[in-house]
Amino acid sequence: MLFSFSLYFDLTIILALALQARAVPHPIAKRSNSDLSLTAQLRLADTAVERYKLLPNDSDFVFNFTGNEELPVATSQNWPALVGVGAAISMSQLPACSMTFLHLHPRATELFALNSGHIISEMVPQGGVMNSNNTQRVIRTDLGPGQVTIYPAGSFHTQVNPECEPANFTAAFTSDEFAVSLVAEQLFSFNDGIIARNFGQSISGEDIEKVRNAIPSDMAIKVDECLAKCGMQKR
């Protein structure tokens, strides 16, 4: 009996020492971030002070839209200084007789300011926002230079330039990674059965495919009535 008690006591001490050893904190090995992009390093930085150290040049805080006409949007991906700021910006123009593809921004509200030209804007807010006749509300604004409209995050919207000259605009976003969802393209990426049921079986399978193939690939869609008014060719 004495032997059993002694063995039990010894095992208890060994177990206690083992648990204590495991509880002793071990130094955390620092992993090099040199293999990460600057944007990723900025996101991992513990403080704003460390982020400034990763941006040592004054030029790091300037973004040049000149030469970026193909993708005139400054986000944290192409302008790392925006990490932690919670904003992004675009400066561009909508060509004459063009309409932007119906789209939404899932992670940001957009402030759309017209610098020159004329823009007709339409926006559909969230479900449940109704007109006086109890149908979905569509907010339509007619913008001139110096005017701004707002597109809350997740709202469907589009802009139309009904004139024969380009319209220049600036758009600010409340996220450095706001994202864009193209409504028609993403809707018709579902299978035919889902699309048909959502349209009350009013579109047959072959018509669904016809619509799918007809969706424009360009963000700026030409407006035929305006082209005729301005004597311009579609292509």
Side-chain angles (χ1 to χ4, degrees), residues 93-145:
Q93 67 174 215
L94 188 59
C97 300
S98 293
M99 177 183 77
T100 59
F101 213 103
L102 185 61
H103 63 285
L104 61 89
H105 305 293
R107 290 191 288 275
T109 291
E110 176 183 357
L111 290 170
F112 183 91
L114 191 62
N115 303 321
S116 67
H118 176 206
I119 289 287
I120 297 171
S121 162
E122 291 201 13
M123 184 264 288
V124 175
Q126 68 187 59
V129 179
M130 314 301 280
N131 281 320
S132 56
N133 59 1
N134 205 35
T135 60
Q136 174 67 56
R137 185 177 180 186
V138 178
I139 298 173
R140 185 179 187 274
T141 55
D142 200 313
L143 301 174

mmCIF file of all heavy atoms in Angstrom, residues 93-145:
data_model
loop_
_atom_site.group_PDB
_atom_site.id
_atom_site.type_symbol
_atom_site.label_atom_id
_atom_site.label_comp_id
_atom_site.label_asym_id
_atom_site.label_seq_id
_atom_site.Cartn_x
_atom_site.Cartn_y
_atom_site.Cartn_z
ATOM 1 N N GLN A 93 -13.993 59.528 -67.015
ATOM 2 C CA GLN A 93 -15.032 60.166 -67.814
ATOM 3 C C GLN A 93 -15.922 59.114 -68.440
ATOM 4 O O GLN A 93 -15.494 57.981 -68.696
ATOM 5 C CB GLN A 93 -14.450 61.077 -68.888
ATOM 6 C CG GLN A 93 -13.693 60.384 -69.983
ATOM 7 C CD GLN A 93 -13.271 61.346 -71.091
ATOM 8 O OE1 GLN A 93 -13.248 60.954 -72.244
ATOM 9 N NE2 GLN A 93 -12.929 62.595 -70.773
ATOM 10 N N LEU A 94 -17.177 59.484 -68.627
ATOM 11 C CA LEU A 94 -18.128 58.631 -69.334
ATOM 12 C C LEU A 94 -18.238 59.178 -70.748
ATOM 13 O O LEU A 94 -18.623 60.336 -70.934
ATOM 14 C CB LEU A 94 -19.489 58.660 -68.626
ATOM 15 C CG LEU A 94 -20.551 57.677 -69.137
ATOM 16 C CD1 LEU A 94 -20.062 56.230 -69.035
ATOM 17 C CD2 LEU A 94 -21.843 57.851 -68.340
ATOM 18 N N PRO A 95 -17.875 58.370 -71.745
ATOM 19 C CA PRO A 95 -17.884 58.871 -73.123
ATOM 20 C C PRO A 95 -19.252 59.376 -73.561
ATOM 21 O O PRO A 95 -20.283 59.049 -72.955
ATOM 22 C CB PRO A 95 -17.451 57.648 -73.942
ATOM 23 C CG PRO A 95 -16.715 56.777 -72.977
ATOM 24 C CD PRO A 95 -17.399 56.977 -71.660
ATOM 25 N N ALA A 96 -19.268 60.140 -74.624
ATOM 26 C CA ALA A 96 -20.527 60.644 -75.179
ATOM 27 C C ALA A 96 -21.458 59.494 -75.521
ATOM 28 O O ALA A 96 -21.016 58.433 -75.969
ATOM 29 C CB ALA A 96 -20.235 61.471 -76.438
ATOM 30 N N CYS A 97 -22.753 59.703 -75.266
ATOM 31 C CA CYS A 97 -23.795 58.720 -75.623
ATOM 32 C C CYS A 97 -23.527 57.343 -75.024
ATOM 33 O O CYS A 97 -23.745 56.314 -75.671
ATOM 34 C CB CYS A 97 -23.925 58.616 -77.141
ATOM 35 S SG CYS A 97 -24.376 60.157 -77.958
ATOM 36 N N SER A 98 -23.066 57.316 -73.776
ATOM 37 C CA SER A 98 -22.753 56.045 -73.127
ATOM 38 C C SER A 98 -23.490 55.899 -71.807
ATOM 39 O O SER A 98 -23.866 56.889 -71.167
ATOM 40 C CB SER A 98 -21.244 55.921 -72.875
ATOM 41 O OG SER A 98 -20.532 55.831 -74.084
ATOM 42 N N MET A 99 -23.681 54.656 -71.396
ATOM 43 C CA MET A 99 -24.296 54.328 -70.117
ATOM 44 C C MET A 99 -23.413 53.312 -69.416
ATOM 45 O O MET A 99 -22.918 52.375 -70.043
ATOM 46 C CB MET A 99 -25.692 53.723 -70.341
ATOM 47 C CG MET A 99 -26.398 53.285 -69.068
ATOM 48 S SD MET A 99 -28.007 52.494 -69.396
ATOM 49 C CE MET A 99 -27.463 50.878 -69.955
ATOM 50 N N THR A 100 -23.186 53.492 -68.108
ATOM 51 C CA THR A 100 -22.420 52.498 -67.369
ATOM 52 C C THR A 100 -23.275 51.252 -67.146
ATOM 53 O O THR A 100 -24.489 51.335 -66.961
ATOM 54 C CB THR A 100 -21.968 53.034 -66.002
ATOM 55 O OG1 THR A 100 -23.114 53.409 -65.230
ATOM 56 C CG2 THR A 100 -21.038 54.215 -66.156
ATOM 57 N N PHE A 101 -22.633 50.109 -67.184
ATOM 58 C CA PHE A 101 -23.303 48.836 -66.927
ATOM 59 C C PHE A 101 -23.988 48.903 -65.560
ATOM 60 O O PHE A 101 -23.422 49.407 -64.596
ATOM 61 C CB PHE A 101 -22.250 47.723 -66.926
ATOM 62 C CG PHE A 101 -22.751 46.412 -67.436
ATOM 63 C CD1 PHE A 101 -22.430 45.971 -68.713
ATOM 64 C CD2 PHE A 101 -23.534 45.608 -66.629
ATOM 65 C CE1 PHE A 101 -22.879 44.760 -69.178
ATOM 66 C CE2 PHE A 101 -23.990 44.388 -67.082
ATOM 67 C CZ PHE A 101 -23.663 43.955 -68.363
ATOM 68 N N LEU A 102 -25.226 48.423 -65.459
ATOM 69 C CA LEU A 102 -25.923 48.377 -64.178
ATOM 70 C C LEU A 102 -25.078 47.573 -63.187
ATOM 71 O O LEU A 102 -24.737 46.425 -63.441
ATOM 72 C CB LEU A 102 -27.305 47.735 -64.351
ATOM 73 C CG LEU A 102 -28.208 47.718 -63.115
ATOM 74 C CD1 LEU A 102 -28.519 49.128 -62.645
ATOM 75 C CD2 LEU A 102 -29.499 46.967 -63.420
ATOM 76 N N HIS A 103 -24.721 48.209 -62.060
ATOM 77 C CA HIS A 103 -23.802 47.566 -61.132
ATOM 78 C C HIS A 103 -24.075 48.010 -59.695
ATOM 79 O O HIS A 103 -24.933 48.861 -59.429
ATOM 80 C CB HIS A 103 -22.348 47.904 -61.509
ATOM 81 C CG HIS A 103 -22.006 49.354 -61.405
ATOM 82 N ND1 HIS A 103 -22.416 50.305 -62.321
ATOM 83 C CD2 HIS A 103 -21.280 50.031 -60.475
ATOM 84 C CE1 HIS A 103 -21.970 51.500 -61.965
ATOM 85 N NE2 HIS A 103 -21.273 51.367 -60.856
ATOM 86 N N LEU A 104 -23.340 47.410 -58.773
ATOM 87 C CA LEU A 104 -23.400 47.792 -57.365
ATOM 88 C C LEU A 104 -22.027 47.586 -56.733
ATOM 89 O O LEU A 104 -21.178 46.886 -57.284
ATOM 90 C CB LEU A 104 -24.475 47.003 -56.612
ATOM 91 C CG LEU A 104 -24.340 45.474 -56.559
ATOM 92 C CD1 LEU A 104 -23.502 45.023 -55.364
ATOM 93 C CD2 LEU A 104 -25.710 44.806 -56.510
ATOM 94 N N HIS A 105 -21.834 48.200 -55.580
ATOM 95 C CA HIS A 105 -20.600 48.037 -54.819
ATOM 96 C C HIS A 105 -20.960 47.371 -53.489
ATOM 97 O O HIS A 105 -21.596 48.002 -52.638
ATOM 98 C CB HIS A 105 -19.914 49.388 -54.595
ATOM 99 C CG HIS A 105 -19.660 50.136 -55.859
ATOM 100 N ND1 HIS A 105 -18.760 49.706 -56.810
ATOM 101 C CD2 HIS A 105 -20.219 51.276 -56.356
ATOM 102 C CE1 HIS A 105 -18.760 50.547 -57.819
ATOM 103 N NE2 HIS A 105 -19.642 51.506 -57.580
ATOM 104 N N PRO A 106 -20.581 46.113 -53.301
ATOM 105 C CA PRO A 106 -21.046 45.388 -52.117
ATOM 106 C C PRO A 106 -20.449 45.850 -50.797
ATOM 107 O O PRO A 106 -21.026 45.605 -49.744
ATOM 108 C CB PRO A 106 -20.635 43.935 -52.413
ATOM 109 C CG PRO A 106 -19.514 44.040 -53.386
ATOM 110 C CD PRO A 106 -19.793 45.252 -54.199
ATOM 111 N N ARG A 107 -19.279 46.517 -50.842
ATOM 112 C CA ARG A 107 -18.613 46.854 -49.588
ATOM 113 C C ARG A 107 -18.403 48.358 -49.396
ATOM 114 O O ARG A 107 -17.630 48.748 -48.515
ATOM 115 C CB ARG A 107 -17.253 46.138 -49.511
ATOM 116 C CG ARG A 107 -17.380 44.638 -49.329
ATOM 117 C CD ARG A 107 -16.036 44.015 -48.986
ATOM 118 N NE ARG A 107 -15.140 44.000 -50.128
ATOM 119 C CZ ARG A 107 -15.134 43.047 -51.062
ATOM 120 N NH1 ARG A 107 -16.003 42.043 -50.981
ATOM 121 N NH2 ARG A 107 -14.284 43.084 -52.063
ATOM 122 N N ALA A 108 -19.075 49.181 -50.164
ATOM 123 C CA ALA A 108 -18.823 50.621 -50.001
ATOM 124 C C ALA A 108 -19.980 51.464 -50.520
ATOM 125 O O ALA A 108 -20.654 51.104 -51.486
ATOM 126 C CB ALA A 108 -17.544 51.018 -50.733
ATOM 127 N N THR A 109 -20.164 52.589 -49.872
ATOM 128 C CA THR A 109 -21.029 53.647 -50.384
ATOM 129 C C THR A 109 -20.204 54.505 -51.334
ATOM 130 O O THR A 109 -19.013 54.718 -51.119
ATOM 131 C CB THR A 109 -21.578 54.492 -49.223
ATOM 132 O OG1 THR A 109 -22.498 53.697 -48.470
ATOM 133 C CG2 THR A 109 -22.271 55.750 -49.718
ATOM 134 N N GLU A 110 -20.840 54.965 -52.424
ATOM 135 C CA GLU A 110 -20.144 55.787 -53.414
ATOM 136 C C GLU A 110 -20.715 57.203 -53.420
ATOM 137 O O GLU A 110 -21.929 57.401 -53.415
ATOM 138 C CB GLU A 110 -20.299 55.178 -54.812
ATOM 139 C CG GLU A 110 -19.690 56.015 -55.926
ATOM 140 C CD GLU A 110 -19.921 55.429 -57.313
ATOM 141 O OE1 GLU A 110 -20.503 54.341 -57.407
ATOM 142 O OE2 GLU A 110 -19.523 56.078 -58.304
ATOM 143 N N LEU A 111 -19.813 58.175 -53.436
ATOM 144 C CA LEU A 111 -20.185 59.571 -53.670
ATOM 145 C C LEU A 111 -19.725 59.912 -55.080
ATOM 146 O O LEU A 111 -18.533 59.870 -55.385
ATOM 147 C CB LEU A 111 -19.507 60.491 -52.655
ATOM 148 C CG LEU A 111 -20.007 60.384 -51.208
ATOM 149 C CD1 LEU A 111 -19.092 61.149 -50.269
ATOM 150 C CD2 LEU A 111 -21.428 60.908 -51.098
ATOM 151 N N PHE A 112 -20.678 60.231 -55.948
ATOM 152 C CA PHE A 112 -20.410 60.461 -57.365
ATOM 153 C C PHE A 112 -20.553 61.946 -57.657
ATOM 154 O O PHE A 112 -21.638 62.519 -57.543
ATOM 155 C CB PHE A 112 -21.390 59.640 -58.212
ATOM 156 C CG PHE A 112 -21.172 59.742 -59.696
ATOM 157 C CD1 PHE A 112 -20.336 58.849 -60.353
ATOM 158 C CD2 PHE A 112 -21.820 60.730 -60.435
ATOM 159 C CE1 PHE A 112 -20.146 58.933 -61.726
ATOM 160 C CE2 PHE A 112 -21.635 60.826 -61.805
ATOM 161 C CZ PHE A 112 -20.788 59.924 -62.454
ATOM 162 N N ALA A 113 -19.437 62.601 -58.022
ATOM 163 C CA ALA A 113 -19.426 64.048 -58.277
ATOM 164 C C ALA A 113 -19.131 64.312 -59.740
ATOM 165 O O ALA A 113 -18.167 63.780 -60.295
ATOM 166 C CB ALA A 113 -18.381 64.722 -57.404
ATOM 167 N N LEU A 114 -19.953 65.131 -60.370
ATOM 168 C CA LEU A 114 -19.756 65.472 -61.779
ATOM 169 C C LEU A 114 -18.907 66.735 -61.890
ATOM 170 O O LEU A 114 -19.229 67.776 -61.321
ATOM 171 C CB LEU A 114 -21.107 65.675 -62.467
ATOM 172 C CG LEU A 114 -21.055 65.786 -63.988
ATOM 173 C CD1 LEU A 114 -20.504 64.508 -64.617
ATOM 174 C CD2 LEU A 114 -22.451 66.076 -64.546
ATOM 175 N N ASN A 115 -17.815 66.642 -62.635
ATOM 176 C CA ASN A 115 -16.916 67.783 -62.825
ATOM 177 C C ASN A 115 -17.283 68.599 -64.063
ATOM 178 O O ASN A 115 -17.165 69.828 -64.069
ATOM 179 C CB ASN A 115 -15.473 67.294 -62.943
ATOM 180 C CG ASN A 115 -15.039 66.484 -61.736
ATOM 181 O OD1 ASN A 115 -15.387 66.819 -60.611
ATOM 182 N ND2 ASN A 115 -14.293 65.415 -61.955
ATOM 183 N N SER A 116 -17.687 67.893 -65.128
ATOM 184 C CA SER A 116 -18.110 68.588 -66.345
ATOM 185 C C SER A 116 -19.042 67.687 -67.124
ATOM 186 O O SER A 116 -18.993 66.463 -67.007
ATOM 187 C CB SER A 116 -16.900 68.956 -67.216
ATOM 188 O OG SER A 116 -16.268 67.796 -67.735
ATOM 189 N N GLY A 117 -19.905 68.301 -67.934
ATOM 190 C CA GLY A 117 -20.834 67.518 -68.741
ATOM 191 C C GLY A 117 -22.196 67.380 -68.095
ATOM 192 O O GLY A 117 -22.612 68.195 -67.264
ATOM 193 N N HIS A 118 -22.887 66.319 -68.467
ATOM 194 C CA HIS A 118 -24.266 66.090 -68.028
ATOM 195 C C HIS A 118 -24.451 64.590 -67.805
ATOM 196 O O HIS A 118 -24.101 63.782 -68.668
ATOM 197 C CB HIS A 118 -25.231 66.606 -69.104
ATOM 198 C CG HIS A 118 -26.675 66.356 -68.821
ATOM 199 N ND1 HIS A 118 -27.620 66.252 -69.829
ATOM 200 C CD2 HIS A 118 -27.364 66.154 -67.657
ATOM 201 C CE1 HIS A 118 -28.804 66.027 -69.296
ATOM 202 N NE2 HIS A 118 -28.669 65.972 -67.981
ATOM 203 N N ILE A 119 -24.966 64.220 -66.656
ATOM 204 C CA ILE A 119 -25.195 62.807 -66.325
ATOM 205 C C ILE A 119 -26.614 62.636 -65.785
ATOM 206 O O ILE A 119 -27.066 63.415 -64.937
ATOM 207 C CB ILE A 119 -24.191 62.304 -65.265
ATOM 208 C CG1 ILE A 119 -22.791 62.180 -65.854
ATOM 209 C CG2 ILE A 119 -24.639 60.966 -64.669
ATOM 210 C CD1 ILE A 119 -22.597 61.026 -66.804
ATOM 211 N N ILE A 120 -27.284 61.615 -66.285
ATOM 212 C CA ILE A 120 -28.559 61.190 -65.696
ATOM 213 C C ILE A 120 -28.269 59.921 -64.895
ATOM 214 O O ILE A 120 -27.743 58.935 -65.431
ATOM 215 C CB ILE A 120 -29.618 60.916 -66.772
ATOM 216 C CG1 ILE A 120 -29.925 62.204 -67.550
ATOM 217 C CG2 ILE A 120 -30.894 60.367 -66.133
ATOM 218 C CD1 ILE A 120 -30.797 61.974 -68.777
ATOM 219 N N SER A 121 -28.573 59.959 -63.606
ATOM 220 C CA SER A 121 -28.264 58.844 -62.704
ATOM 221 C C SER A 121 -29.558 58.180 -62.238
ATOM 222 O O SER A 121 -30.549 58.856 -61.953
ATOM 223 C CB SER A 121 -27.489 59.372 -61.487
ATOM 224 O OG SER A 121 -27.524 58.453 -60.422
ATOM 225 N N GLU A 122 -29.534 56.858 -62.186
ATOM 226 C CA GLU A 122 -30.657 56.115 -61.604
ATOM 227 C C GLU A 122 -30.118 55.121 -60.597
ATOM 228 O O GLU A 122 -29.103 54.452 -60.838
ATOM 229 C CB GLU A 122 -31.481 55.411 -62.687
ATOM 230 C CG GLU A 122 -32.249 56.368 -63.575
ATOM 231 C CD GLU A 122 -33.428 55.709 -64.282
ATOM 232 O OE1 GLU A 122 -33.802 54.586 -63.907
ATOM 233 O OE2 GLU A 122 -33.964 56.340 -65.213
ATOM 234 N N MET A 123 -30.802 55.031 -59.443
ATOM 235 C CA MET A 123 -30.366 54.156 -58.369
ATOM 236 C C MET A 123 -31.570 53.480 -57.731
ATOM 237 O O MET A 123 -32.586 54.126 -57.467
ATOM 238 C CB MET A 123 -29.593 54.970 -57.326
ATOM 239 C CG MET A 123 -28.997 54.149 -56.191
ATOM 240 S SD MET A 123 -30.045 54.098 -54.712
ATOM 241 C CE MET A 123 -29.831 55.775 -54.101
ATOM 242 N N VAL A 124 -31.460 52.179 -57.512
ATOM 243 C CA VAL A 124 -32.498 51.424 -56.817
ATOM 244 C C VAL A 124 -31.959 51.062 -55.438
ATOM 245 O O VAL A 124 -30.985 50.310 -55.332
ATOM 246 C CB VAL A 124 -32.891 50.146 -57.580
ATOM 247 C CG1 VAL A 124 -33.878 49.318 -56.773
ATOM 248 C CG2 VAL A 124 -33.501 50.504 -58.934
ATOM 249 N N PRO A 125 -32.550 51.592 -54.372
ATOM 250 C CA PRO A 125 -32.074 51.258 -53.027
ATOM 251 C C PRO A 125 -32.506 49.859 -52.619
ATOM 252 O O PRO A 125 -32.992 49.081 -53.452
ATOM 253 C CB PRO A 125 -32.724 52.334 -52.152
ATOM 254 C CG PRO A 125 -33.942 52.756 -52.904
ATOM 255 C CD PRO A 125 -33.631 52.569 -54.356
ATOM 256 N N GLN A 126 -32.345 49.534 -51.375
ATOM 257 C CA GLN A 126 -32.645 48.187 -50.893
ATOM 258 C C GLN A 126 -34.122 47.847 -51.030
ATOM 259 O O GLN A 126 -34.983 48.713 -51.161
ATOM 260 C CB GLN A 126 -32.239 48.067 -49.423
ATOM 261 C CG GLN A 126 -33.099 48.900 -48.486
ATOM 262 C CD GLN A 126 -32.578 48.890 -47.071
ATOM 263 O OE1 GLN A 126 -31.448 49.287 -46.815
ATOM 264 N NE2 GLN A 126 -33.390 48.432 -46.146
ATOM 265 N N GLY A 127 -34.415 46.530 -51.001
ATOM 266 C CA GLY A 127 -35.795 46.077 -51.054
ATOM 267 C C GLY A 127 -36.595 46.630 -49.884
ATOM 268 O O GLY A 127 -36.084 46.779 -48.768
ATOM 269 N N GLY A 128 -37.840 46.959 -50.131
ATOM 270 C CA GLY A 128 -38.697 47.525 -49.095
ATOM 271 C C GLY A 128 -38.792 49.033 -49.153
ATOM 272 O O GLY A 128 -39.647 49.624 -48.475
ATOM 273 N N VAL A 129 -37.913 49.675 -49.944
ATOM 274 C CA VAL A 129 -38.018 51.130 -50.140
ATOM 275 C C VAL A 129 -38.974 51.354 -51.303
ATOM 276 O O VAL A 129 -38.646 51.090 -52.458
ATOM 277 C CB VAL A 129 -36.641 51.757 -50.435
ATOM 278 C CG1 VAL A 129 -36.782 53.259 -50.668
ATOM 279 C CG2 VAL A 129 -35.670 51.483 -49.292
ATOM 280 N N MET A 130 -40.179 51.822 -50.995
ATOM 281 C CA MET A 130 -41.249 51.855 -51.985
ATOM 282 C C MET A 130 -41.633 53.282 -52.371
ATOM 283 O O MET A 130 -41.417 54.237 -51.624
ATOM 284 C CB MET A 130 -42.491 51.130 -51.432
ATOM 285 C CG MET A 130 -42.201 49.791 -50.770
ATOM 286 S SD MET A 130 -41.407 48.580 -51.874
ATOM 287 C CE MET A 130 -42.839 48.003 -52.763
ATOM 288 N N ASN A 131 -42.221 53.400 -53.571
ATOM 289 C CA ASN A 131 -42.821 54.653 -54.013
ATOM 290 C C ASN A 131 -44.198 54.816 -53.381
ATOM 291 O O ASN A 131 -44.703 53.916 -52.684
ATOM 292 C CB ASN A 131 -42.972 54.661 -55.543
ATOM 293 C CG ASN A 131 -41.650 54.976 -56.218
ATOM 294 O OD1 ASN A 131 -40.906 55.828 -55.759
ATOM 295 N ND2 ASN A 131 -41.375 54.285 -57.311
ATOM 296 N N SER A 132 -44.847 55.954 -53.653
ATOM 297 C CA SER A 132 -46.185 56.208 -53.111
ATOM 298 C C SER A 132 -47.211 55.228 -53.656
ATOM 299 O O SER A 132 -48.243 54.983 -53.028
ATOM 300 C CB SER A 132 -46.619 57.643 -53.425
ATOM 301 O OG SER A 132 -46.571 57.876 -54.830
ATOM 302 N N ASN A 133 -46.922 54.633 -54.840
ATOM 303 C CA ASN A 133 -47.847 53.634 -55.407
ATOM 304 C C ASN A 133 -47.474 52.212 -55.002
ATOM 305 O O ASN A 133 -47.922 51.243 -55.602
ATOM 306 C CB ASN A 133 -47.906 53.762 -56.935
ATOM 307 C CG ASN A 133 -46.543 53.572 -57.574
ATOM 308 O OD1 ASN A 133 -45.549 53.318 -56.884
ATOM 309 N ND2 ASN A 133 -46.485 53.693 -58.890
ATOM 310 N N ASN A 134 -46.599 52.094 -53.983
ATOM 311 C CA ASN A 134 -46.221 50.809 -53.396
ATOM 312 C C ASN A 134 -45.442 49.908 -54.351
ATOM 313 O O ASN A 134 -45.563 48.687 -54.301
ATOM 314 C CB ASN A 134 -47.452 50.061 -52.852
ATOM 315 C CG ASN A 134 -47.077 49.090 -51.744
ATOM 316 O OD1 ASN A 134 -46.167 49.367 -50.952
ATOM 317 N ND2 ASN A 134 -47.756 47.961 -51.686
ATOM 318 N N THR A 135 -44.662 50.514 -55.227
ATOM 319 C CA THR A 135 -43.725 49.761 -56.060
ATOM 320 C C THR A 135 -42.304 50.175 -55.691
ATOM 321 O O THR A 135 -42.098 51.182 -55.025
ATOM 322 C CB THR A 135 -43.975 50.027 -57.560
ATOM 323 O OG1 THR A 135 -43.803 51.438 -57.817
ATOM 324 C CG2 THR A 135 -45.371 49.593 -57.973
ATOM 325 N N GLN A 136 -41.346 49.370 -56.128
ATOM 326 C CA GLN A 136 -39.946 49.647 -55.794
ATOM 327 C C GLN A 136 -39.554 51.068 -56.201
ATOM 328 O O GLN A 136 -39.779 51.496 -57.325
ATOM 329 C CB GLN A 136 -39.033 48.649 -56.510
ATOM 330 C CG GLN A 136 -37.554 48.906 -56.354
ATOM 331 C CD GLN A 136 -37.041 48.721 -54.935
ATOM 332 O OE1 GLN A 136 -37.220 47.662 -54.351
ATOM 333 N NE2 GLN A 136 -36.395 49.738 -54.382
ATOM 334 N N ARG A 137 -38.964 51.791 -55.283
ATOM 335 C CA ARG A 137 -38.550 53.161 -55.573
ATOM 336 C C ARG A 137 -37.283 53.175 -56.416
ATOM 337 O O ARG A 137 -36.331 52.435 -56.161
ATOM 338 C CB ARG A 137 -38.305 53.946 -54.281
ATOM 339 C CG ARG A 137 -37.984 55.410 -54.543
ATOM 340 C CD ARG A 137 -37.821 56.195 -53.264
ATOM 341 N NE ARG A 137 -37.504 57.596 -53.568
ATOM 342 C CZ ARG A 137 -37.190 58.491 -52.648
ATOM 343 N NH1 ARG A 137 -37.157 58.146 -51.364
ATOM 344 N NH2 ARG A 137 -36.909 59.737 -53.000
ATOM 345 N N VAL A 138 -37.259 54.016 -57.447
ATOM 346 C CA VAL A 138 -36.081 54.278 -58.267
ATOM 347 C C VAL A 138 -35.754 55.762 -58.115
ATOM 348 O O VAL A 138 -36.592 56.622 -58.400
ATOM 349 C CB VAL A 138 -36.327 53.927 -59.747
ATOM 350 C CG1 VAL A 138 -35.088 54.251 -60.570
ATOM 351 C CG2 VAL A 138 -36.706 52.459 -59.907
ATOM 352 N N ILE A 139 -34.537 56.057 -57.649
ATOM 353 C CA ILE A 139 -34.133 57.444 -57.422
ATOM 354 C C ILE A 139 -33.386 57.941 -58.660
ATOM 355 O O ILE A 139 -32.315 57.438 -58.996
ATOM 356 C CB ILE A 139 -33.256 57.558 -56.158
ATOM 357 C CG1 ILE A 139 -34.078 57.122 -54.936
ATOM 358 C CG2 ILE A 139 -32.732 58.986 -55.995
ATOM 359 C CD1 ILE A 139 -33.277 57.031 -53.655
ATOM 360 N N ARG A 140 -33.978 58.919 -59.344
ATOM 361 C CA ARG A 140 -33.434 59.440 -60.593
ATOM 362 C C ARG A 140 -32.962 60.870 -60.361
ATOM 363 O O ARG A 140 -33.718 61.711 -59.862
ATOM 364 C CB ARG A 140 -34.491 59.405 -61.692
ATOM 365 C CG ARG A 140 -33.991 59.808 -63.077
ATOM 366 C CD ARG A 140 -35.145 59.697 -64.086
ATOM 367 N NE ARG A 140 -34.694 59.917 -65.457
ATOM 368 C CZ ARG A 140 -34.579 61.093 -66.053
ATOM 369 N NH1 ARG A 140 -34.862 62.205 -65.366
ATOM 370 N NH2 ARG A 140 -34.187 61.185 -67.312
ATOM 371 N N THR A 141 -31.705 61.155 -60.713
ATOM 372 C CA THR A 141 -31.162 62.501 -60.548
ATOM 373 C C THR A 141 -30.551 62.970 -61.853
ATOM 374 O O THR A 141 -29.994 62.175 -62.610
ATOM 375 C CB THR A 141 -30.090 62.539 -59.435
ATOM 376 O OG1 THR A 141 -29.081 61.567 -59.713
ATOM 377 C CG2 THR A 141 -30.704 62.243 -58.085
ATOM 378 N N ASP A 142 -30.672 64.263 -62.115
ATOM 379 C CA ASP A 142 -30.133 64.889 -63.314
ATOM 380 C C ASP A 142 -28.979 65.781 -62.860
ATOM 381 O O ASP A 142 -29.206 66.818 -62.232
ATOM 382 C CB ASP A 142 -31.227 65.704 -64.011
ATOM 383 C CG ASP A 142 -30.907 65.971 -65.466
ATOM 384 O OD1 ASP A 142 -29.769 66.382 -65.738
ATOM 385 O OD2 ASP A 142 -31.788 65.768 -66.324
ATOM 386 N N LEU A 143 -27.746 65.367 -63.145
ATOM 387 C CA LEU A 143 -26.580 66.032 -62.578
ATOM 388 C C LEU A 143 -25.899 66.965 -63.575
ATOM 389 O O LEU A 143 -25.707 66.606 -64.742
ATOM 390 C CB LEU A 143 -25.558 65.004 -62.100
ATOM 391 C CG LEU A 143 -26.024 63.997 -61.045
ATOM 392 C CD1 LEU A 143 -24.939 62.963 -60.800
ATOM 393 C CD2 LEU A 143 -26.398 64.713 -59.750
ATOM 394 N N GLY A 144 -25.515 68.132 -63.073
ATOM 395 C CA GLY A 144 -24.689 69.066 -63.834
ATOM 396 C C GLY A 144 -23.371 69.263 -63.102
ATOM 397 O O GLY A 144 -23.162 68.744 -62.000
ATOM 398 N N PRO A 145 -22.438 70.015 -63.682
ATOM 399 C CA PRO A 145 -21.133 70.239 -63.062
ATOM 400 C C PRO A 145 -21.254 70.784 -61.640
ATOM 401 O O PRO A 145 -22.065 71.660 -61.357
ATOM 402 C CB PRO A 145 -20.469 71.257 -63.990
ATOM 403 C CG PRO A 145 -21.123 71.028 -65.324
ATOM 404 C CD PRO A 145 -22.546 70.681 -65.003
#
